[in-house]
Amino acid sequence: MHFCDFHALQDLSLSHNIIRHIINKTPTIFITKVASRNRADFHNLMDVYLDAVFHPRAVEDEGWWVLRQEGWRYDVVDADSNEEEGGGRNLDGNRVDFEYKGVVFSEMKGAYSDPEDLLERTTQSLLFPDNPYHFDSGGDPAIIPTLTREEFVAFYKKYYHPTNARLFVAGDESDVYYALSTADRYMAPMGYNSESRKDSIINYQPRQFKKPHRERKPFAVAASEEGEDDGESSEGYMLCITWLLNTQPLTPRDELAWIVLDSLLLGKPSSPLQKALEDSNLGEETIGGGLDDELLQSTFAIGMKGLKKREDVHVLEDLILSTLEKLDSDGFSEDEIAASMNTIEFRLREGGGGLRGLEIFLGALTKWNYDLSPKDALVYEDALTSLKEEIDLTGSNIFQQLIRDSLLSNNHRVVLEMYPSSTLEADQLQDAKMQLFRAQSGMSDTEYQSVIDEGIKLKKLQDTEETPEVISTNPSLSIADIDPTPIEYPIHVEKNAFKSGIQLITHEVASSGIAYVDVGLDISMVPYEDIILLPSLISLLNEAGTKEMSDAEFRYVLFLQKLFILFFWTNSSYQYTLQ
């Protein structure tokens, strides 16, 4: 087992910007990833992180402090002063007050204070009453303090097992073989745990609501000067409608059809559902995000925040449904469908623009995590061809059918209204105080003193720096591990391209048939005092239309032609990028 200082490790690695844990948006997935262009560095990082995942100190006796530091703990209010004065007793000899501390506890308090975050968490819990998605994987701050160390250790030992792991490696062939053999060295001795696998399976949530589930929930805001007697403020309401779309795996074609429909409904300012909401002036902006296909079951969510009065909540719901009804009746034009199809095809071919290997892994995981073929998430040509053929035969009928069957006729949906409350925060603080009071009142003197002593012990541990001997055990690189040869990319320079006087530089890349063109224009003649105007000019170029076309019309024409334009500027030149 490595006793590794991870902060020191980041300083010793060439890849400190891409060593991290990912708590995936999907609440049943935890990802640890490492990456490096240096082979020795990559090998070091693999060893340390595999050891940390499968042999963590957190579940050993010596790691007693991890849950208290990273999860939650009782702490003395104003612990620094009380530590020196009486060891947990005030001047009268009575017990001092406790408060909750802990990294995750504090993070989740912050998450639950964000209205949109709270809306998403509440919606998911209501939409999935019968499967693990019902529970907040990050933890409800009101529930986190009920987690015991015994439960924490038992959960890790049952579920953080190689049986439930998915390993993905991208790189040279030698890197792949090394990674697989190294992982096998850690994972093989742990064997296969059939109970862990059985209890990790996520079952499909049936679409069982007889009517839409309606709920009102408060979110905290500062009290207004007038002050509301019931704590409900007069404006700033939120409404979101969320549908559960499928109760079995979607076919690749239907998955793609939903992605295109999401683009048709919300992908552009001129998209009908997006435009209807924004033109209504009922709220400040749309929320929900449309299609979410990262869970076992897909969902579709749409709403608005910043509604001025409660009556607008019902008006907004009617507007969303009536807009969908009109689209079910009228469908979409050929040009609208062509523009969205071109947009989606471009995204499929281009990918997300980040680390390619990680993108492939995260995409594959949307199937692989549920024991489906990871290839189904990566191969799209057949589905794209099938959808194009269906559109050629029936026009927008496939999208109208999805709206009709999965949205309008689907009662398994949550209609969640969030209202601003000026008293909620005070109520929550009072509930936490009562929870702490009951917990402390139920402690014997021995139990109480144990909390005090562990708090003092934890603080000393936190304040103690690792010794040079421990830090020296962290893997590091030698000069011999670093190749001083710079990476050179092959380019072709043409001084007078097409007899235009323009210098053209080309570089061939694997881009799935997409051509990227960067055009640089010299702006050194712009007067110094006018440079401050360049950001505004760039914004206008990216957001405004042309002399003959509005911005929406201009973007629409680009989508039809499979063109994507982005303007930007640097200190030395004015450029636009054509994709």
Side-chain angles (χ1 to χ4, degrees):
M1 180 184 298
H2 293 164
F3 294 86
C4 182
D5 183 337
F6 279 84
H7 294 291
L9 177 64
Q10 301 238 358
D11 293 333
L12 294 170
S13 168
L14 295 176
S15 311
H16 59 276
N17 288 324
I18 45 180
I19 308 171
R20 68 186 64 156
H21 306 289
I22 304 173
I23 302 297
N24 194 274
K25 182 182 178 183
T26 307
T28 54
I29 300 175
F30 172 83
I31 300 169
T32 295
K33 72 181 180 74
V34 296
S36 179
R37 297 187 66 119
N38 181 283
R39 182 163 281 119
D41 193 32
F42 179 62
H43 294 175
N44 288 345
L45 295 173
M46 269 205 68
D47 267 322
V48 170
Y49 272 78
L50 283 167
D51 182 72
V53 169
F54 293 116
H55 303 290
R57 296 170 67 184
V59 297
E60 305 297 335
D61 290 342
E62 64 179 304
W64 63 268
W65 53 271
V66 174
L67 178 62
R68 288 163 174 77
Q69 174 178 282
E70 304 297 325
W72 78 276
R73 67 183 182 276
Y74 297 118
D75 205 0
V76 174
V77 176
D78 298 326
D80 290 341
S81 59
N82 278 293
E83 180 185 332
E84 304 295 332
E85 301 172 7
R89 301 282 175 173
N90 60 26
L91 295 177
D92 298 326
N94 298 318
R95 293 180 176 183
V96 295
D97 293 334
F98 284 167
E99 62 182 340
Y100 292 125
K101 289 282 186 70
V103 174
V104 171
F105 177 80
S106 298
E107 288 176 348
M108 294 312 297
K109 276 190 69 177
Y112 272 63
S113 67
D114 181 300
E116 286 189 62
D117 198 321
L118 180 60
L119 182 145
E120 290 181 11
R121 294 172 186 276
T122 304
T123 295
Q124 184 164 293
S125 179
L126 295 171
L127 199 65
F128 295 94
D130 304 316
N131 78 8
Y133 295 144
H134 176 74
F135 303 99
D136 189 340
S137 61
D140 184 334
I143 307 299
I144 288 174
T146 66
L147 176 65
T148 66
R149 174 165 170 76
E150 290 73 24
E151 291 171 329
F152 170 71
V153 172
F155 186 91
Y156 168 82
K157 290 184 175 179
K158 182 172 185 178
Y159 294 107
Y160 280 70
H161 191 276
T163 304
N164 288 327
R166 301 290 184 269
L167 179 67
F168 179 89
V169 187
D172 294 339
E173 185 176 359
S174 60
D175 294 326
V176 172
Y177 281 117
Y178 176 86
L180 292 175
S181 61
T182 301
D184 186 66
R185 178 159 46 88
Y186 283 93
M187 298 165 73
M190 301 176 73
Y192 182 84
N193 186 330
S194 59
E195 288 300 309
S196 174
R197 189 74 206 120
K198 182 183 72 173
D199 291 344
S200 297
I201 294 173
I202 299 174
N203 295 313
Y204 278 85
Q205 169 66 54
R207 290 202 317 204
Q208 61 192 26
F209 296 170
K210 302 300 182 185
K211 58 183 180 180
H213 184 102
R214 299 180 181 278
E215 195 91 26
R216 289 191 85 222
K217 294 285 186 181
F219 63 90
V221 295
S224 65
E225 293 183 1
E226 295 84 3
E228 294 82 10
D229 293 337
D230 61 358
E232 186 169 329
S233 297
S234 58
E235 63 179 57
Y237 293 85
M238 302 167 65
L239 174 79
C240 192
I241 308 176
T242 307
W243 288 264
L244 180 64
L245 299 183
N246 62 302
T247 56
Q248 59 186 7
L250 293 170
T251 66
R253 191 203 67 172
D254 285 347
E255 276 191 278
L256 186 56
W258 263 112
I259 293 171
V260 175
L261 177 57
D262 181 58
S263 175
L264 283 166
L265 293 172
L266 300 169
K268 303 181 291 293
S270 59
S271 297
L273 186 54
Q274 182 76 23
K275 189 174 189 302
L277 268 57
E278 291 185 352
D279 288 354
S280 72
N281 293 319
L282 290 171
E284 294 174 357
E285 62 179 287
T286 57
I287 57 174
L291 178 68
D292 184 345
D293 56 3
E294 293 187 359
L295 305 180
L296 174 66
Q297 294 168 265
S298 296
T299 62
F300 185 86
I302 185 62
M304 295 192 84
K305 68 177 183 179
L307 279 68
K308 297 176 178 61
K309 50 185 184 295
R310 191 183 176 193
E311 292 76 12
D312 291 342
V313 170
H314 307 293
V315 176
L316 177 59
E317 182 181 359
D318 290 342
L319 175 62
I320 291 171
L321 295 177
S322 64
T323 302
L324 292 172
E325 287 168 355
K326 188 174 188 306
L327 291 168
D328 172 33
S329 173
D330 298 346
F332 302 91
S333 71
E334 289 184 10
D335 283 349
E336 287 175 320
I337 295 172
S340 287
M341 287 290 290
N342 289 341
T343 301
I344 299 307
E345 184 175 354
F346 180 88
R347 290 176 186 168
L348 289 171
R349 297 191 185 284
E350 184 181 45
L355 295 172
R356 187 59 177 161
L358 183 63
E359 287 179 12
I360 293 172
F361 175 50
L362 294 178
L365 211 53
T366 61
K367 303 295 182 186
W368 201 11
N369 190 54
Y370 308 112
D371 296 324
L372 302 171
S373 171
K375 188 181 78 171
D376 290 346
L378 305 174
V379 179
Y380 58 84
E381 291 288 358
D382 289 346
L384 187 62
T385 299
S386 175
L387 183 57
K388 286 179 177 179
E389 290 174 350
E390 178 72 19
I391 292 169
D392 288 341
L393 287 173
T394 65
S396 72
N397 183 64
I398 185 172
F399 305 115
Q400 291 167 265
Q401 195 73 40
L402 289 175
I403 292 173
R404 186 179 313 125
D405 294 344
S406 298
L407 299 179
L408 293 174
S409 301
N410 177 10
N411 281 328
H412 197 103
R413 63 181 184 257
V414 171
V415 183
L416 179 59
E417 175 193 344
M418 303 285 289
Y419 65 89
S421 170
S422 58
T423 61
L424 179 62
E425 185 174 8
D427 293 341
Q428 291 172 334
L429 287 173
Q430 184 60 34
D431 289 344
K433 285 183 178 180
M434 289 302 299
Q435 189 181 34
L436 285 161
F437 175 78
R438 288 192 294 268
Q440 191 184 108
S441 299
M443 293 180 185
S444 66
D445 284 343
T446 301
E447 291 169 330
Y448 172 81
Q449 193 58 46
S450 177
V451 171
I452 300 300
D453 292 343
E454 284 189 351
I456 294 172
K457 188 177 177 182
L458 176 61
K459 188 175 187 307
K460 288 180 178 178
L461 189 66
Q462 292 169 332
D463 292 341
T464 302
E465 294 185 2
E466 294 284 11
T467 64
E469 290 75 20
V470 170
I471 293 176
S472 68
T473 64
N474 290 335
S476 59
L477 300 177
S478 68
I479 295 297
D481 293 324
I482 302 172
D483 184 357
T485 307
I487 299 173
E488 293 188 7
Y489 296 97
I491 62 172
H492 174 70
V493 179
E494 191 173 350
K495 295 290 186 181
N496 185 20
F498 313 112
K499 299 180 179 180
S500 63
I502 296 173
Q503 179 171 274
L504 176 66
I505 302 174
T506 57
H507 168 53
E508 188 172 338
V509 295
S511 62
S512 302
I514 298 173
Y516 297 84
V517 181
D518 287 357
V519 180
L521 303 176
D522 182 15
I523 56 169
S524 59
M525 75 294 295
V526 176
Y528 178 78
E529 60 272 16
D530 290 341
I531 290 178
I532 195 173
L533 301 174
L534 284 174
S536 298
L537 172 63
I538 297 304
S539 296
L540 287 171
L541 288 171
N542 280 315
E543 299 172 10
T546 68
K547 186 176 181 180
E548 280 89 23
M549 289 183 285
S550 68
D551 173 51
E553 292 170 331
F554 180 54
R555 294 289 164 188
Y556 188 60
V557 170
L558 293 177
F559 288 136
L560 286 174
Q561 300 299 322
K562 300 185 181 181
L563 292 173
F564 300 86
I565 294 179
L566 172 66
F567 292 90
F568 64 96
W569 75 287
T570 67
N571 290 337
S572 57
S573 67
Y574 164 81
Q575 295 181 309
Y576 67 86
T577 300
L578 176 63
Q579 298 179 351

